[in-house]
Amino acid sequence: MKGEKKTQDDVVYEHIFDAILEQRLAPGTKLNEESLGDIFGVSRTIIRRALARLGYEQVVVLRPNRGAVVASPSLDEARQIVFARRVVEKAVTELVCENADANQIEQLKQMVRDEQACFDRGDLGAGIRLSGEFHLLLAEIARNPPLLSFQRSLVSLSSLIIAQFEKGTAKSHCSYDEHFELIDAFAKRDKEKAVALMMHHLDHIEEKLNLGDEAEENDLKAIFSNVMSRKQSAPQA
């Protein structure tokens, strides 16, 4: 929406979208229309329009007579999101190699420098958001509106599955070093290298997620680890 005057529902939509990207809004969070209206100083009609857009992108679930909640993708849905992300990122990467000009390359570099600065000063939320926005900017540079629409949904859904399925010791934000390597390939219009780097980049993110068949069982074991430890340490009758 650059260059366009933002409506009230644009502003609300962007605030909620950013909060999901930054993982400040966790999966399953209730989005009360009245509370959001008070926060943003707008009517519930405005809030409903913003939530409807987020619902269209599948990052918010609109429940009749029960209100909206932030989506909580299932394990199977998480796998589908990862697969779809690979398909879209490959197409976007190829188009960026064809379309990116010198100004856009510099814009990408500045975004990654900002991303790095956020992580360096410990602002993890802003760093994660900029990591996602890097991929959204690529989709804008690709100059294919349907791909951009898909990417907006997939990047925010990716943030949700990271929040749900991240391995305990993992840090699943993008690597800014890998972002710089991608930019170099874009600048050289090296499509083959750029696609390989993007797939490798996505591999690193996926490796930090627990998406195997044992994920749900492991989650329960982690939740009740204190019970299991007491059971194991109890004397046998």
Side-chain angles (χ1 to χ4, degrees):
M1 295 199 174
K2 293 175 182 176
E4 298 179 14
K5 183 176 176 59
K6 293 179 181 178
T7 63
Q8 288 180 312
D9 45 299
D10 288 336
V11 173
V12 174
Y13 164 88
E14 289 179 3
H15 275 290
I16 298 175
F17 185 89
D18 285 351
I20 291 172
L21 276 191
E22 293 184 10
Q23 298 180 359
R24 289 185 287 114
L25 274 176
T29 301
K30 292 182 180 180
L31 300 171
N32 181 274
E33 291 179 5
E34 185 174 357
S35 296
L36 289 171
D38 290 341
I39 290 166
F40 293 107
V42 298
S43 69
R44 292 176 68 173
T45 300
I46 299 295
I47 298 299
R48 287 194 196 104
R49 286 207 293 259
L51 293 176
R53 289 174 62 186
L54 292 159
Y56 177 76
E57 293 177 355
Q58 301 180 50
V59 295
V60 163
V61 178
L62 305 175
R63 307 174 304 174
N65 303 317
R66 291 190 296 158
V69 296
V70 178
S72 300
S74 67
L75 182 59
D76 190 50
E77 288 168 338
R79 292 171 182 152
Q80 293 170 12
I81 290 163
V82 168
F83 178 83
R85 181 85 185 264
R86 287 181 177 277
V87 173
V88 171
E89 292 282 14
K90 181 178 184 294
V92 166
T93 297
E94 291 173 342
L95 288 171
V96 171
C97 285
E98 295 174 10
N99 296 331
D101 59 31
N103 288 335
Q104 290 168 328
I105 292 295
E106 182 52 40
Q107 188 179 0
L108 287 168
K109 288 180 180 178
Q110 184 57 53
M111 178 172 281
V112 178
R113 286 192 287 265
D114 292 343
E115 174 193 354
Q116 182 175 7
C118 287
F119 288 125
D120 286 347
R121 67 173 179 263
D123 191 350
L124 186 62
I128 291 172
R129 174 175 51 79
L130 286 171
S131 295
E133 288 181 356
F134 174 84
H135 291 269
L136 294 179
L137 180 55
L138 293 182
E140 290 181 17
I141 295 170
R143 299 207 300 260
N144 185 301
L147 280 179
L148 175 58
S149 178
F150 293 148
Q151 188 74 311
R152 285 193 69 82
S153 176
L154 289 169
V155 166
S156 51
L157 284 168
S158 294
S159 188
L160 292 176
I161 66 172
I162 286 169
Q164 285 184 262
F165 297 102
E166 185 178 41
K167 293 176 183 176
T169 58
K171 298 292 182 184
S172 293
H173 59 76
C174 292
S175 163
Y176 44 75
D177 291 333
E178 292 174 4
H179 283 172
F180 277 125
E181 290 175 356
L182 278 165
I183 294 169
D184 185 59
F186 294 143
K188 295 175 180 176
R189 303 199 184 281
D190 189 338
K191 191 179 294 188
E192 183 176 351
K193 182 177 181 181
V195 169
L197 286 169
M198 181 61 79
M199 294 302 104
H200 185 62
H201 181 55
L202 295 175
D203 284 342
H204 280 176
I205 297 172
E206 188 175 351
E207 285 167 3
K208 298 172 184 177
L209 302 177
N210 190 13
L211 299 180
D213 292 331
E214 74 285 357
E216 291 173 344
E217 180 184 355
N218 286 345
D219 287 344
L220 285 175
K221 287 181 178 178
I223 290 168
F224 297 111
S225 59
N226 60 328
V227 177
M228 293 176 67
S229 63
R230 287 201 299 269
K231 183 178 178 181
Q232 290 168 358
S233 62
Q236 297 296 317

